């Protein structure tokens, strides 16, 4: 009986170890991110930080998924050449181009564009970031 | 039943290990007092040593009661301290009831002659710790300074303790400059001074203009604008003739340098930090400045870089209090 318990325990232990080492089936993209089956592809929130890492938004952003626009009013006098955009995305999505730091948004006539790529990497949606400055 | 002793091996090993870890340490012995005058010293202040700032030490001295009492304590600096250098005439002990250091007067205030500061004991004292405050003079900038602490006892014994050398930064520092809208308005980085609007100022030295403005639609409030900034950012302000410096600014928040803010944060801006700031594409105007915020500054000629910390803003009085560290780049 004692022998039976020990052997069963050992079998369970090794089975557990093997199952924990089992490789995930989902593929990984060039950024090391999982390519999943999700088709969601949209921006959920938008933030703009100044050089002091404080928000420069004077209002909440208006995100229009149908039109592919994010309209954001910023404080009067905000330094548009040194802004740090932050986009929250739907689950498993990624952004192109990547945001690596301060970005120049001073060319108001030519808004910057970012593309959201879905979790399955099949759907792409481009958003135009339209900045307006708070009137004095 | 047959007993298998081998199966008890791990248990026996465990008991042995337990016994070994419980072995008694060697008995502690109280150190014997040296029969002589002794001293020790620590540097209490941290951060870069800047002209206009302080270096603080605590100098301890003691001798057995049988060998007399303390007569005097002295500090000799390699470069004479600026006005405000002194050696305390109080010794402190920590009171648990009051939860603070409580002073005990041991003599009259110290006397500084040249590079030497002396406190003479007037109370019968056999052990004391005196604090020494060295006001860093202008001429020490970029040099190193050393200190020799010494104590004398009534039986003629002398002890001394050397501290340093300590490098003195090439930075300058000015604390608590008051800027008021429409009055004390101009700031010159070269002079490290706030000028009043009605004062005669060399217009080429005006690097920043302070103003307080409100608007129904925009957040302006406390602003620093350089005289050469785009006209719309100068609001209704009439810039004095000849003032056209385009000073570069980089807004910060929560960079509370301890020497400027004098708060609990252990953050210090050093010479290296000034060198590391990238002023490319930085604006020449800042609005909506807040207390505990600040800005990096580069003068139009690139000669100076500075960090302006905002100690306090007052909306009602339309004023703010700033403290500044300045570094000469070229």
């Amino acid at each position: 009986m004692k022998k039976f318990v020990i052997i069963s325990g050992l079998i369970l232990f090794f089975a557990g170890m093997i199952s924990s080492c089992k490789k995930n089936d989902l593929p990984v993209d060039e950024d090391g991110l999982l390519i999943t089956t999700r088709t969601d592809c949209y921006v959920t929130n938008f933030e703009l930080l100044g050089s002091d890492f404080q928000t420069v938004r004077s209002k909440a952003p208006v995100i229009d998924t149908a039109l592919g626009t994010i309209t954001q009013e910023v404080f009067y006098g905000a330094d548009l050449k040194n802004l740090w955009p932050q986009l929250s995305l739907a689950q498993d999505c990624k952004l192109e181009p990547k945001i690596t730091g301060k970005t120049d948004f001073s060319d108001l006539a030519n808004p910057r564009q970012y593309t959201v790529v879905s979790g399955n990497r099949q759907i792409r949606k481009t958003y135009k970031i339209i900045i307006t400055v708070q009137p004095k | 039943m047959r007993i298998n002793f081998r199966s008890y091996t791990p248990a026996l090993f465990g008991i042995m290990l337990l016994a070994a870890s419980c072995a008694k340490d060697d008995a502690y012995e109280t150190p014997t007092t040296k029969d002589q005058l002794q001293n020790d010293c620590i540097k209490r202040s941290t951060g870069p040593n800047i002209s206009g700032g302080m270096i603080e030490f605590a100098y301890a001295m003691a001798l057995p009661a049988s060998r007399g009492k303390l007569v005097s304590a002295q500090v000799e600096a390699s470069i004479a301290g600026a006005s405000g250098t002194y050696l305390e005439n109080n010794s402190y002990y920590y009171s648990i009831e009051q939860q603070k250091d409580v002073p005990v007067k041991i003599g009259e205030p110290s006397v500084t002659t040249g590079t030497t500061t002396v406190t003479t004991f007037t109370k019968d004292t056999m052990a004391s710790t005196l604090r020494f405050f060295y006001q860093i003079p202008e001429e020490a900038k970029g040099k190193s300074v050393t200190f020799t602490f010494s104590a004398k006892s009534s039986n003629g014994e002398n002890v001394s303790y050397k501290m340093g050398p300590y490098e003195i930064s090439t930075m300058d520092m000015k604390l608590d400059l008051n800027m008021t809208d429409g009055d004390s308005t101009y700031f010159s980085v070269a002079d490290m001074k706030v000028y009043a609007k009605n004062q005669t100022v060399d217009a080429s030295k005006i690097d920043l203009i302070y103003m307080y403005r409100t608007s129904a639609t925009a957040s302006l409030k406390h602003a620093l604008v350089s005289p050469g900034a785009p006209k719309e950012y100068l609001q209704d302000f009439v810039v004095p003739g000849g003032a056209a410096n385009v000073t570069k600014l980089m807004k910060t928040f929560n960079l509370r340098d301890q020497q400027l803010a004098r708060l609990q944060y252990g953050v210090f801006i050093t010479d290296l930090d000034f060198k590391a700031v990238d002023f490319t594409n930085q604006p020449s105007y800042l609005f909506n400045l807040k207390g505990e915020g600040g800005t990096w500054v580069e003068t139009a000629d690139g000669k100076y870089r500075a960090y302006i910390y905002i100690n306090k803003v007052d909306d009602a009085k339309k004023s703010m209090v700033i403290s500044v560290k300045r570094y000469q780049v070229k």
Side-chain angles (χ1 to χ4, degrees):
Chain A
M1 180 64 190
K2 199 177 167 188
K3 220 179 237 180
F4 175 74
V5 172
I6 292 167
I7 290 166
S8 323
L10 279 171
I11 289 168
L12 270 172
F13 176 71
F14 285 115
M17 268 181 69
I18 290 162
S19 70
S20 69
C21 297
K22 196 184 167 192
K23 209 186 159 195
N24 203 318
D25 288 335
L26 292 171
V28 172
D29 70 5
E30 68 280 6
D31 295 321
L33 299 170
L34 284 181
I35 299 172
T36 64
T37 54
R38 286 183 185 274
T39 53
D40 299 335
C41 186
Y42 54 88
V43 172
T44 57
N45 195 22
F46 181 69
E47 176 63 276
L48 261 184
L49 303 179
S51 62
D52 56 353
F53 302 105
Q54 302 293 301
T55 188
V56 294
R57 297 186 323 179
S58 57
K59 282 181 181 168
V62 178
I63 302 168
D64 193 323
T65 307
L67 282 176
T69 57
I70 299 171
T71 309
Q72 180 63 64
E73 187 189 89
V74 299
F75 288 126
Y76 173 85
D79 174 19
L80 300 181
K81 286 185 176 173
N82 296 290
L83 294 176
W84 194 317
Q86 293 179 342
L87 289 95
S88 304
L89 310 177
Q91 196 172 348
D92 298 343
C93 289
K94 70 173 194 175
L95 197 68
E96 285 178 4
K98 292 184 188 79
I99 296 167
T100 52
K102 287 175 186 171
T103 310
D104 188 348
F105 281 89
S106 61
D107 188 359
L108 299 179
N110 296 298
R112 286 197 167 269
Q113 296 189 8
Y114 290 93
T115 301
V116 182
V117 185
S118 66
N120 66 1
R121 305 291 185 264
Q122 301 300 310
I123 303 164
R124 300 170 71 85
K125 187 157 188 62
T126 302
Y127 282 82
K128 212 180 255 187
I129 300 183
I130 302 160
I131 304 287
T132 59
V133 179
Q134 190 181 41
K136 195 180 79 175
Chain B
M1 197 177 78
R2 196 163 158 240
I3 297 169
N4 183 1
F5 286 103
R6 264 194 295 179
S7 64
Y8 291 99
T9 313
L12 285 169
F13 187 71
I15 291 163
M16 279 165 68
L17 205 67
L18 200 70
S21 68
C22 295
K24 207 185 159 195
D25 287 337
D26 291 337
Y28 172 76
E29 279 178 32
T30 311
T32 48
T33 315
K34 286 183 192 166
D35 190 27
Q36 63 189 56
L37 175 62
Q38 294 177 79
N39 64 353
D40 201 353
C41 191
I42 56 162
K43 182 172 175 280
R44 293 193 85 213
S45 53
T46 50
N49 307 309
I50 304 168
S51 157
M54 287 262 196
I55 308 181
E56 185 187 345
F57 298 91
Y59 179 54
M61 60 222 103
L63 77 171
S66 57
R67 296 189 71 91
K69 58 183 182 179
L70 293 167
V71 171
S72 67
Q74 173 185 306
V75 189
E76 191 178 355
S78 58
I79 301 169
S83 164
T85 297
Y86 68 101
L87 181 62
E88 276 262 25
N89 60 331
N90 289 309
S91 193
Y92 290 85
Y93 71 93
Y94 184 76
S95 162
I96 295 167
E97 293 81 27
Q98 297 176 52
Q99 297 199 341
K100 63 174 186 182
D101 286 347
V102 179
V104 178
K105 196 176 172 191
I106 51 86
E108 294 310 310
S110 63
V111 177
T112 302
T113 318
T115 56
T116 310
T117 305
V118 184
T119 293
T120 307
F121 287 77
T122 53
K123 292 267 175 69
D124 189 352
T125 312
M126 56 180 280
S128 179
T129 300
L130 301 183
R131 290 172 194 180
F132 175 60
F133 299 87
Y134 178 74
Q135 187 79 42
I136 304 167
E138 179 75 21
E139 59 267 30
K141 269 169 69 177
K143 297 176 187 166
S144 62
V145 61
T146 55
F147 301 90
T148 307
F149 291 81
S150 54
K152 213 181 271 180
S153 69
S154 58
N155 67 353
E157 262 187 291
N158 280 296
V159 278
S160 66
Y161 202 104
K162 278 197 188 313
M163 294 293 279
Y166 301 103
E167 294 297 322
I168 308 299
S169 167
T170 51
M171 269 192 279
D172 292 284
M173 187 167 70
K174 275 277 160 68
L175 301 175
D176 302 326
L177 300 169
N178 196 49
M179 301 188 95
T180 314
D181 179 52
D183 180 22
S184 308
T185 300
Y186 306 127
F187 180 67
S188 166
V189 176
D191 294 350
M192 289 287 273
K193 212 172 165 186
V194 172
Y195 289 102
K197 206 175 174 183
N198 55 8
Q199 224 172 330
T200 313
V201 193
D202 177 358
S204 66
K205 282 189 173 179
I206 300 174
D207 295 302
L208 291 167
I209 296 163
Y210 167 72
M211 60 178 86
Y212 180 89
R213 297 288 184 276
T214 50
S215 155
T217 53
S219 310
L220 304 174
K221 290 197 166 184
H222 304 271
L224 283 173
V225 184
S226 66
K231 213 163 182 188
E232 65 160 310
Y233 296 118
L234 285 157
Q235 315 298 320
D236 53 357
F237 197 90
V238 181
V239 177
N245 284 332
V246 181
T247 311
K248 287 184 176 171
L249 302 167
M250 192 196 281
K251 203 175 185 183
T252 63
F253 195 68
N254 282 350
L255 177 51
R256 292 164 288 207
D257 176 276
Q258 197 185 66
Q259 288 163 314
L260 299 178
R262 284 147 286 160
L263 296 172
Q264 69 272 33
Y265 310 104
V267 177
F268 296 95
I269 292 170
T270 64
D271 298 15
L272 284 174
D273 296 312
F274 285 105
K275 288 178 195 167
V277 182
D278 181 8
F279 284 94
T280 316
N281 285 332
Q282 290 303 316
S284 52
Y285 52 87
L286 293 177
F287 292 93
N288 208 9
L289 292 161
K290 290 174 179 148
E292 297 196 15
T295 176
W296 294 99
V297 181
E298 187 183 59
T299 54
D301 57 6
K303 191 178 176 188
Y304 295 107
R305 286 184 172 188
Y307 180 70
I308 297 179
Y309 175 77
I310 300 163
N311 299 86
K312 202 173 91 177
V313 292
D314 191 328
D315 291 2
K317 289 181 181 164
K318 297 180 181 178
S319 68
M320 68 181 190
V321 178
I322 60 167
S323 294
V324 187
K325 270 186 178 180
R326 183 189 69 176
Y327 177 76
Q328 188 168 343
V329 182
K330 52 187 180 185

